[in-house]
């Protein structure tokens, strides 16, 4: 927070009079002077940086264990010479916070992606050695050219070799022109509801088309927001590849990669869509729903009614959907079927899967 408060360019934190609350400005245009002060960026309070607030949120919602991380845009914005030391210091501090709450807090580390590749690789190995780290958090920009950038090959290799999970999360969205001239009338709905999932979809598809998962077959990725639209467009992407003369032949299909390399969070807020997404990533009628896990999106999506701040509707909805269990949408014996034991499914989705995938004793 001190770093963000000290900055003059994106991303930064400051207040805009007459409003005295701090606002987080992370996207171009969010600080437009023509906008009301309360419409610039998003409010940022203790939920963003006070670990006691995090622990209180967990208690209020019956959450026993959380995996925390820096929020987007992580450390992508740092100058190259400061990126490496800042990443090392930040990851160490987050690990120390987790050490004060053993068994309750774990974390994803952040990479210094504006630094040289060898410095990034060194940090990958350092994160692996930190006791409470359970993977790496990354946005879709990579080194600045996207995740199909050949310069990322040493980074993919290091993540694969250390056996760490990569949590891929959007931040940069789509060009604002796609939202049209009335976009400001709709608040943050278009970039958050559509821009973020499509950003994830495009980034992941670029990785697939460039052969990243053919070269790094053991690379494991957790996709935010239930994979964007990738689980639903997998067949279309594969068919387009088959019919494009410019495409390299013999690549793994999207469907293969979803089953072999991908995990999903459950930030989707719809039972049918969650069932379809969960059915797309590995599993069968015997072990379905093994590659999706509960998530909160905290501290984002807070309740608008401050008097009910201890109950976050977004988190409670996700919990309730998973607690009731999902319906398997995979193919078996010629058609879809219901999971035989919804209680078991709920247990996996609400914690069992995360503990297994992230090597946490639950």
């Amino acid at each position: 927070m001190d770093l963000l408060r000290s900055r003059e360019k994106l991303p930064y934190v400051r207040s805009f009079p007459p409003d005295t609350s701090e606002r987080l400005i992370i996207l171009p245009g969010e600080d437009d002077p023509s906008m009301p002060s309360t419409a610039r960026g998003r409010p940022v309070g203790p939920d963003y940086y006070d670990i006691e607030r995090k622990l209180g949120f967990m208690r209020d919602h019956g959450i026993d264990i959380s995996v925390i991380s820096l929020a987007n845009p992580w450390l992508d914005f740092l100058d190259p010479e400061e990126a490496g030391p800042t990443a090392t210091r930040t990851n160490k501090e987050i690990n120390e916070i987790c050490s004060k709450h053993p068994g309750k807090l774990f974390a994803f580390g952040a990479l210094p992606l504006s630094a040289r590749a060898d410095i990034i690789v060194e940090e990958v190995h350092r994160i692996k050695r930190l006791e409470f780290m359970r993977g790496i958090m990354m946005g879709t920009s990579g080194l600045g050219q996207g995740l199909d950038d050949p310069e990322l090959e040493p980074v993919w290799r290091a993540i694969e070799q250390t056996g760490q999970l990569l949590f891929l999360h959007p931040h940069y969205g789509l060009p604002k022109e796609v939202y049209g001239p009335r976009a400001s009338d709709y608040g943050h709905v278009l970039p958050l509801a559509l821009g973020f999932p499509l950003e994830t979809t495009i980034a992941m598809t670029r990785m697939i088309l460039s052969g990243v998962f053919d070269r790094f077959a053991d690379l494991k990725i957790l996709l935010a927001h239930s994979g964007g639209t990738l689980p639903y467009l997998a067949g279309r992407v594969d068919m387009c590849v088959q019919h494009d003369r410019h495409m390299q032949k013999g690549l793994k299909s999207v469907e293969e990669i979803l089953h072999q390399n991908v995990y999903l969070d459950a930030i989707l807020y719809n039972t049918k869509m969650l069932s379809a997404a969960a059915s797309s990533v590995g599993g069968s009628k015997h072990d379905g729903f093994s590659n999706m896990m509960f998530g909160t999106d905290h501290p984002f999506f807070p309740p608008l009614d401050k008097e009910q701040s201890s109950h976050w509707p977004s988190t409670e909805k996700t919990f309730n959907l998973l607690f009731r269990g999902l319906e398997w949408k995979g193919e078996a014996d010629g058609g879809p079927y219901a999971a035989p034991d919804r209680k078991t499914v709920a247990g996996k989705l609400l914690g069992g899967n995360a503990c297994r995938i992230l090597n946490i004793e639950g």
Side-chain angles (χ1 to χ4, degrees):
M1 285 296 294
D2 290 339
L3 175 61
L4 290 170
R5 289 184 181 119
S6 71
R7 291 177 56 81
E8 297 294 329
K9 56 184 179 179
L10 293 177
Y12 63 85
V13 168
R14 77 171 52 120
S15 59
F16 298 93
D19 182 30
T20 58
S21 64
E22 289 188 312
R23 314 287 296 189
L24 173 62
I25 311 296
I26 58 175
L27 296 174
E30 286 189 332
D31 53 358
D32 186 339
S34 67
M35 300 169 62
S37 60
T38 54
R40 300 181 201 176
R42 60 213 69 197
V44 54
D47 283 309
Y48 282 74
Y49 53 81
D50 186 341
I51 199 62
E52 292 303 321
R53 295 289 285 266
K54 180 67 174 183
L55 293 168
F57 171 87
M58 291 168 61
R59 287 192 297 271
D60 290 341
H61 294 86
I63 297 172
D64 299 314
I65 302 171
S66 283
V67 182
I68 62 175
S69 69
L70 291 183
N72 49 301
W74 313 282
L75 302 175
D76 293 7
F77 57 89
L78 293 175
D79 292 332
E81 62 274 10
E82 62 177 326
T86 301
T88 298
R89 182 175 65 252
T90 301
N91 290 326
K92 181 180 178 182
E93 290 174 357
I94 293 175
N95 190 70
E96 289 173 352
I97 289 172
C98 294
S99 72
K100 296 175 183 177
H101 306 278
K104 294 193 73 67
L105 295 180
F106 296 87
F108 290 123
L111 296 179
L113 292 174
S114 56
R116 299 193 317 266
D118 62 307
I119 294 176
I120 301 171
V121 168
E122 185 177 332
E123 192 61 30
V124 170
H125 288 277
R126 186 179 289 110
I127 290 170
K128 176 65 176 179
R129 295 193 295 270
L130 293 174
E131 181 179 0
F132 296 95
M133 289 291 171
R134 288 300 183 269
I136 290 168
M137 186 88 159
M138 184 186 288
T140 64
S141 179
L143 307 180
Q145 301 298 318
L147 303 186
D148 54 357
D149 182 358
E151 296 299 318
L152 275 169
E153 298 280 298
V155 179
W156 301 142
R157 184 174 298 106
I159 295 173
E160 181 188 51
Q161 287 176 347
T162 56
Q164 297 188 78
L165 180 69
L166 175 65
F167 185 14
L168 182 61
H169 194 286
H171 165 70
Y172 297 94
L174 303 179
K176 62 181 181 179
E177 290 78 15
V178 305
Y179 302 124
R182 295 189 58 195
S184 61
D185 294 349
Y186 314 129
H188 290 98
V189 173
L190 291 175
L192 291 182
L194 301 179
F196 272 14
L198 288 171
E199 176 188 347
T200 300
T201 303
I202 293 169
M204 187 66 178
T205 303
R206 287 172 60 180
M207 290 181 72
I208 293 169
L209 297 181
S210 66
V212 168
F213 294 97
D214 292 86
R215 294 187 295 279
F216 304 101
D218 293 326
L219 186 64
K220 304 297 184 183
I221 293 194
L222 168 61
L223 298 181
H225 312 129
S226 301
T229 62
L230 191 63
Y232 322 108
L233 295 178
R236 182 172 179 82
V237 174
D238 287 337
M239 188 58 65
C240 287
V241 170
Q242 291 179 34
H243 289 80
D244 195 316
R245 296 183 186 278
H246 296 280
M247 278 303 305
Q248 173 185 343
K249 301 305 177 184
L251 289 174
K252 288 183 179 178
S253 68
V254 179
E255 184 176 356
E256 286 180 278
I257 291 164
L258 285 173
H259 278 263
Q260 297 170 7
N261 304 88
V262 174
Y263 303 100
L264 303 178
D265 71 15
I267 309 297
L268 200 53
Y269 311 115
N270 180 281
T271 302
K272 291 183 178 180
M273 296 301 100
L274 279 169
S275 296
S279 302
S280 74
V281 284
S284 67
K285 67 178 180 180
H286 302 295
D287 62 355
F289 302 109
S290 294
N291 291 344
M292 175 179 276
M293 60 191 87
F294 173 73
T296 65
D297 237 355
H298 182 263
F300 297 99
F301 281 25
L304 296 180
D305 185 348
K306 292 184 179 180
E307 293 182 359
Q308 297 180 348
S309 59
S310 63
H311 300 283
W312 291 46
S314 57
T315 298
E316 290 182 346
K317 179 160 188 177
T318 299
F319 173 84
N320 289 332
L321 292 175
L322 300 184
F323 183 76
R324 291 197 297 266
L326 303 179
E327 181 181 350
W328 181 256
K329 299 295 184 182
E331 292 295 322
D333 302 324
Y337 55 87
D341 185 346
R342 289 189 178 229
K343 184 177 180 180
T344 299
V345 170
K348 293 165 72 171
L349 294 169
L350 289 170
N353 290 344
C355 288
R356 171 180 56 82
I357 294 165
L358 298 173
N359 191 28
I360 294 173
E361 292 186 8

